[in-house]
Amino acid sequence: MNLVSNPHVPALGVFGLFLCLVPPALAQIESTPIGAVNATINGAPYAGETLEVPSEGTATAEFRSFGPVTSLTVQALDPQAESMMHNVLSVEISLMGETASASIMEASVSYWPGGMSAPFYHSEDSGTGTEIVLDALSLSAGASAITGSFTAVVCRKDDFFAETDTSDCLPVEGSFDTALRKAD
């Protein structure tokens, strides 16, 4: 089990790029659920799915390794949302190692209720640390998966370059259990 609390995480750019590229592909190509994220956002229940797009070689739950650093992204899409781009919840983690007991270097949570063109909420600059507990992590060929939980406070940003509005924040807590795909 690993626990981290870090209020300053620079992962927003990576997530933004991922959010821009994956959903358009998912909207046009068949995808398969590979996991779930269940949470409470400001007291309201949230149930999202992580998806794999086999024909594209992508997934919304992926990992990358950069030397000793492992970067994990678990992006949940709400199957009940009017658009695949709406009601997206993402957890990003950077580890020093490849196991659940590895030291977490950075962690963030973001919530995109209205998609990319609407304001979103992010844990960076919220003034409250993001807590991640990893119960299990396997990065073996063909059987990569992650299970854990998170707690964060996410605050509104009108766009990527806007100041964080710490007067408009939402508590978020939940769990994730998903297969992972190795990112290219």
Side-chain angles (χ1 to χ4, degrees):
M1 179 182 350
N2 198 337
L3 176 68
V4 70
S5 179
N6 184 349
H8 302 289
V9 180
L12 185 59
V14 174
F15 171 72
L17 178 61
F18 188 71
L19 190 64
C20 288
L21 298 176
V22 173
L26 293 176
Q28 301 167 1
I29 300 170
E30 188 173 325
S31 58
T32 305
I34 58 171
V37 174
N38 293 295
T40 302
I41 302 171
N42 201 32
Y46 176 90
E49 298 176 333
T50 55
L51 304 174
E52 180 176 34
V53 184
S55 64
E56 296 294 313
T58 62
T60 65
E62 295 187 324
F63 72 95
R64 295 183 192 287
S65 294
F66 306 99
V69 177
T70 303
S71 176
L72 306 154
T73 300
V74 177
Q75 182 182 38
L77 306 172
D78 180 352
Q80 304 301 316
E82 65 185 52
S83 165
M84 185 172 289
M85 296 289 288
H86 292 183
N87 213 22
V88 175
L89 182 63
S90 181
V91 177
E92 295 189 37
I93 308 163
S94 291
L95 304 172
M96 183 59 76
E98 296 183 339
T99 65
S101 63
S103 176
I104 295 177
M105 300 171 15
E106 297 178 351
S108 68
V109 174
S110 54
Y111 175 53
W112 304 76
M116 291 292 292
S117 60
F120 63 95
Y121 293 80
H122 194 266
S123 62
E124 185 177 324
D125 297 329
S126 71
T128 302
T130 297
E131 295 180 15
I132 304 284
V133 175
L134 296 181
D135 298 322
L137 175 62
S138 171
L139 301 179
S140 59
S144 299
I146 188 170
T147 303
S149 59
F150 58 94
T151 302
V153 172
V154 294
C155 296
R156 181 185 167 113
K157 288 183 70 102
D158 287 332
D159 59 47
F160 284 104
F161 302 105
E163 291 287 322
T164 301
D165 180 356
T166 56
S167 69
D168 185 358
C169 299
L170 309 171
V172 180
E173 63 180 303
S175 62
F176 47 86
D177 185 354
T178 184
L180 292 168
R181 181 175 185 91
K182 183 171 181 161
D184 294 329

